[in-house]
Amino acid sequence: MKQLITLFVNNKEYEIAVAPNETLAQVLREDLNLLGTKEGCGIGDCGACTVILDGRPVNSCLVLAVQANGSQVSTIEGVAEGQTLHPLQQAFVDHGAIQCGFCTPGMVLSAKSLLDKNPDPSEYEIREAISGNLCRCTGYQKIVEAVKAASENMKK
């Protein structure tokens, strides 16, 4: 039996009927058509499905949609300001931190969550913040450099 829940996704309110076993990732992708949230491993290992839930990065494949009832959810679709990329997104482009792009939304959201709380992180803190996100293409050095550059650009 489906249950009606309310989500605030990228500052827009949605009322959605969800099955008890439906994950937040499934609702974002299948019901709200927010395909930037990737489904990777489905067991919380890869971080491709990372979203920001009430200010914290989470693996949306591990969160039941009913658990997110009433919550604020930020997806990659809500990061840019219209046609203008967020400084993190621009830094990923500028520093070649994107190759296939599959992990990028989760990486950006983990990094954004870090920078929202700590605008001047150390390299160690950046690496720790993205440690739950796996990248099989670029390695991590360019991603860390992009996050650091975004941090510096956001101070200006």
Side-chain angles (χ1 to χ4, degrees):
M1 179 181 211
K2 290 195 171 191
Q3 177 180 344
L4 191 62
I5 65 168
T6 302
L7 295 175
F8 299 91
V9 182
N10 301 328
N11 299 316
K12 186 174 177 184
E13 183 177 350
Y14 296 91
E15 285 193 17
I16 309 158
V18 300
N21 63 345
E22 204 168 357
T23 66
L24 180 57
Q26 290 171 317
V27 168
L28 293 171
R29 289 183 57 82
E30 297 167 16
D31 295 331
L32 303 183
N33 201 31
L34 296 172
L35 302 177
T37 301
K38 305 299 183 200
E39 285 188 357
C41 66
I43 56 172
D45 279 345
C46 73
C49 64
T50 300
V51 298
I52 299 175
L53 179 67
D54 292 330
R56 296 179 321 121
V58 299
N59 292 321
S60 61
C61 71
L62 297 180
V63 177
L64 292 174
V66 293
Q67 293 174 306
N69 186 19
S71 294
Q72 296 282 338
V73 181
S74 297
T75 70
I76 195 66
E77 289 88 350
V79 174
E81 296 276 338
Q83 296 297 314
T84 304
L85 293 178
H86 184 279
L88 260 170
Q89 293 170 306
Q90 188 62 54
F92 269 62
V93 171
D94 293 344
H95 288 265
I98 301 170
Q99 286 208 354
C100 83
F102 192 80
C103 72
T104 304
M107 288 281 187
V108 168
L109 288 166
S110 289
K112 183 178 182 314
S113 180
L114 170 67
L115 295 181
D116 287 348
K117 294 175 185 137
N118 178 3
D120 190 24
S122 67
E123 181 176 334
Y124 176 80
E125 290 167 324
I126 294 168
R127 289 185 183 277
E128 186 175 51
I130 63 170
S131 65
N133 298 85
L134 301 180
C135 174
R136 293 175 177 87
C137 300
T138 66
Y140 296 91
Q141 189 58 39
K142 290 181 179 185
I143 293 167
V144 171
E145 290 169 5
V147 175
K148 193 65 179 169
S151 164
E152 291 167 9
N153 287 338
M154 292 168 68
K155 288 187 226 168
K156 296 177 184 173

